[in-house]
Amino acid sequence: MEKLTKPKMIIMLLISIITTGYAQKVDSEFSGYIETSFIILLLLIAVTGVLFLLESQSEGRSILNLMPQLLWLKDRLTDAKPVEKEKDILLDHDYDGILELDNNLPPWWKALFYVTIVWGAIYLLWFHVFQVGNLQDAEYTEEVRIAEIEKAALLGPGAIDENNVTKLTDPIALSTGKETFLKHCAACHGRGGEGLVGPNLTDDYWIHGADIKQVFLIVKNGVPEKGMISWKSQLNPVAMQEVSSYILSLRGSNPPNQKPPEGVMVNFN
Ligand code: HEC
């Protein structure tokens, strides 16, 4: 009875480790964790359930005796002769001690097999006979078509560039801008924009100007000879607009460990 307790405790531990992750702030990088860990969680819970079932079986108070419906289900799920009775269904040959046994396949297994046949028929009709669904080639072409449209909206005529960019102020845009900043820029500009390798982005002094158009242009093209990367190949114009707006929102936030001013003082009035 005690023998299953250890695995159950390990599983409980795993479940609690995984769920502590959920207390984290939810951002885009985190959502992948939620999906995978959720599946693992379900599996662990299922395994725990099975362990509990097995344990109650081995203690002689089988859950099957408590619930006749389950007993009915169990009979439906397997009509194979149990191992103890296999000698009744041995066939009549003996090849050097190798005996042949003709037991029934479990009905659930056969049911799965029939399901695959029905599924195959549906698939054939859907994709090949009536051609309702897209096959891989068509699916690919369709995805490329949609991606082209999205790309044109971001990069084609009318897309955001340094000539028409405006400073965003809505909290959602600024918080995506913040995410981009923490991911790509904080290493050089500090987590609060206080400056590190790159200049302080929170004071009133700017090397290249503090207008949204000037900031956008620097983010887009960088200053490669001074160590500021060009971001246009990694961030789309919307992301560059958001992160530029976020940077400008940091003005006067007065983070600790600020780098001394560089460039010229900008008059913000
Ligand atoms: C590898 C280090 C590095 C990274 C990463 C980096 N920067 Fe810079 N950044 C610099 C340096 C160095 C400068 C100063 C360039 C100069 O002196 O002209 C700079 C300058 C700037 C300026 C101009 C500041 C001024 O005073 O005019 C802006 C705006 C800026 N970075 C934004 C960003 C943004 C947004 C990101 C992330 C998308 C980013 N940087 C990532 C190093 C970096």
Side-chain angles (χ1 to χ4, degrees):
M1 166 191 150
E2 284 301 312
K3 66 180 184 293
L4 288 170
T5 309
K6 209 182 264 173
K8 271 189 315 206
M9 282 175 63
I10 294 173
I11 289 174
M12 296 299 189
L13 191 71
L14 282 176
I15 291 179
S16 51
I17 291 174
I18 292 178
T19 41
T20 47
Y22 290 106
Q24 310 271 335
K25 177 176 144 311
V26 176
D27 60 36
S28 52
E29 279 174 69
F30 188 62
S31 63
Y33 172 81
I34 292 192
E35 279 160 27
T36 21
S37 68
F38 188 66
I39 296 172
I40 297 177
L41 261 185
L42 286 186
L43 285 175
L44 287 176
I45 291 171
V47 171
T48 325
V50 170
L51 287 180
F52 272 111
L53 266 183
L54 287 177
E55 191 177 58
S56 66
Q57 289 271 35
S58 65
E59 281 171 32
R61 45 183 175 83
S62 162
I63 189 161
L64 293 176
N65 300 334
L66 302 175
M67 296 182 65
Q69 299 90 333
L70 280 182
L71 208 57
W72 175 87
L73 190 69
K74 182 178 163 255
D75 286 345
R76 294 294 156 300
L77 289 180
T78 170
D79 62 358
K81 284 257 191 280
V83 184
E84 315 84 68
K85 293 191 180 155
E86 270 181 354
K87 55 181 177 315
D88 301 346
I89 47 169
L90 274 183
L91 295 186
D92 207 9
H93 2 262
D94 182 344
Y95 302 102
D96 296 336
I98 299 173
L99 301 173
E100 194 183 344
L101 184 70
D102 186 16
N103 210 341
N104 289 341
L105 287 169
W108 63 264
W109 192 92
K110 279 190 279 189
L112 271 188
F113 180 61
Y114 298 137
V115 168
T116 61
I117 295 177
V118 174
W119 176 252
I122 296 174
Y123 187 96
L124 181 83
L125 293 174
W126 186 265
F127 285 104
H128 294 285
V129 180
F130 299 115
Q131 302 187 346
V132 196
N134 282 338
L135 286 175
Q136 282 177 21
D137 274 355
E139 222 169 57
Y140 172 75
T141 328
E142 177 64 12
E143 270 174 28
V144 170
R145 193 183 67 81
I146 294 173
E148 288 293 344
I149 295 175
E150 283 172 2
K151 192 173 153 196
L154 281 175
L155 302 175
I160 300 166
D161 65 16
E162 57 277 15
N163 301 313
N164 62 17
V165 63
T166 51
K167 188 161 94 177
L168 303 170
T169 47
D170 74 286
I172 297 178
L174 291 181
S175 87
T176 3
K178 182 178 183 179
E179 271 177 35
T180 312
F181 182 82
L182 292 178
K183 195 166 161 198
H184 296 296
C185 325
C188 290
H189 289 283
R191 290 186 69 80
E194 67 274 14
L196 219 61
V197 182
N200 185 338
L201 299 173
T202 65
D203 60 12
D204 283 357
Y205 290 79
W206 292 77
I207 306 170
H208 302 280
D211 188 78
I212 181 73
K213 295 187 167 65
Q214 295 166 313
V215 172
F216 183 93
L217 193 65
I218 290 293
V219 175
K220 182 174 164 189
N221 294 331
V223 192
E225 65 279 7
K226 294 283 183 60
M228 167 66 187
I229 303 162
S230 155
W231 290 95
K232 62 174 175 244
S233 59
Q234 293 187 55
L235 299 176
N236 68 43
V238 175
M240 292 194 288
Q241 181 189 25
E242 287 164 349
V243 75
S244 302
S245 305
Y246 172 70
I247 287 178
L248 291 174
S249 78
L250 293 177
R251 176 176 169 250
S253 58
N254 205 12
N257 307 321
Q258 282 186 58
K259 202 176 172 190
E262 289 165 80
V264 294
M265 186 163 152
V266 172
N267 186 357
F268 279 87
N269 297 317

